[in-house]
Structure formats: C-alpha cells, structure tokens
Amino acid sequence: MLLASTDPDRLHDWYAAALEPHSDDDVDSYRVLRFGRFHLLIDRREDVGPRAADATRMIINFDVDDARAVAARMDGLGTDWVCPLEDRGGSLFATAADPDGNLVQIIQLGAADRAAMAAAETDS
C-alpha cells in the first residue's frame, strides 16, 4: 500500500513507533515498512493535502499480537482515537487516526474468532 504525504518523515516515524514493523527500509524516495507480508510505502507528494479528505473511505487494518501494548504506544504518541480500544466478544478492536488523518484499525482476534476464520479458510 502506498500512502502519499506532504510530511512523509512524520508519517513514517508514527507508523514505525506505533506498530513496530518487521523491517524499515529506504528504497529510492520511499520509506518501506514491512508488517508480515504487508508492505506500507510512504512517499512525499505535493499534490495532496496535509490531511486525508475522506478518511472513512479506507481503513488500514493491522492484526496485532498485543492490542493493549499497541494502543499504549499510540497513546504515548498523542494519537487521536476514533474508537478507543474495546472488547468485542473476546476480540480487541480500536480505530485511530494517523498524523495525516488516515484511519488505522488495530485488531487482536480472540481464540474463537481465529478458529472461525481458520474453519472458513478450510471450507473454501
């Protein structure tokens, strides 16, 4: 996924601190953060505004091992919460706005939800 920003360094620093990527590289003019098999590329663009115009159009989901720890790191970064961390039937969900106003959801699925997803994958 590519995120364009007028301040890519700020955006990169937030994602790197909040979500602790598996790798963090500079490739040409891009900052490339890898989270498992998902790559987030951050690029400078002057033809975008400083804030996402319609942030609810797209939500970036991150499956995390410890949602409480991620939420605490985000709190330490002064993150704005759209929906604070909540337990939804044994799974933890929260939605935050990154520094550019893009929506980021952290999800820690509970055992029952993981089992249901695994069963659905074997049924297909």
Side-chain angles (χ1 to χ4, degrees):
M1 167 177 237
L2 173 66
L3 284 180
S5 178
T6 58
D7 192 346
D9 293 330
R10 178 189 66 180
L11 200 58
H12 162 269
D13 293 348
W14 184 86
Y15 277 94
L19 292 156
E20 297 182 331
H22 294 105
S23 64
D24 180 350
D25 300 299
D26 288 312
V27 179
D28 297 322
S29 63
Y30 299 101
R31 296 302 302 263
V32 181
L33 302 171
R34 182 179 62 82
F35 302 92
R37 294 179 295 170
F38 173 70
H39 291 80
L40 181 63
L41 287 74
I42 302 172
D43 187 26
R44 176 178 305 280
R45 296 279 301 262
E46 301 305 327
D47 60 343
V48 299
R51 300 276 303 164
D54 188 2
T56 57
R57 184 175 293 270
M58 176 193 67
I59 299 175
I60 307 168
N61 290 315
F62 286 90
D63 180 15
V64 299
D65 292 329
D66 187 347
R68 287 181 177 86
V70 174
R73 283 196 302 275
M74 288 179 169
D75 282 338
L77 295 167
T79 299
D80 292 327
W81 291 101
V82 174
C83 179
L85 191 65
E86 63 183 4
D87 187 318
R88 297 183 190 166
S91 293
L92 300 175
F93 290 82
T95 305
D98 74 15
D100 281 6
N102 302 299
L103 296 186
V104 177
Q105 187 172 62
I106 56 173
I107 304 167
Q108 180 183 342
L109 292 177
D113 287 334
R114 285 201 184 276
M117 285 181 62
E121 288 176 5
T122 59
D123 290 342
S124 10

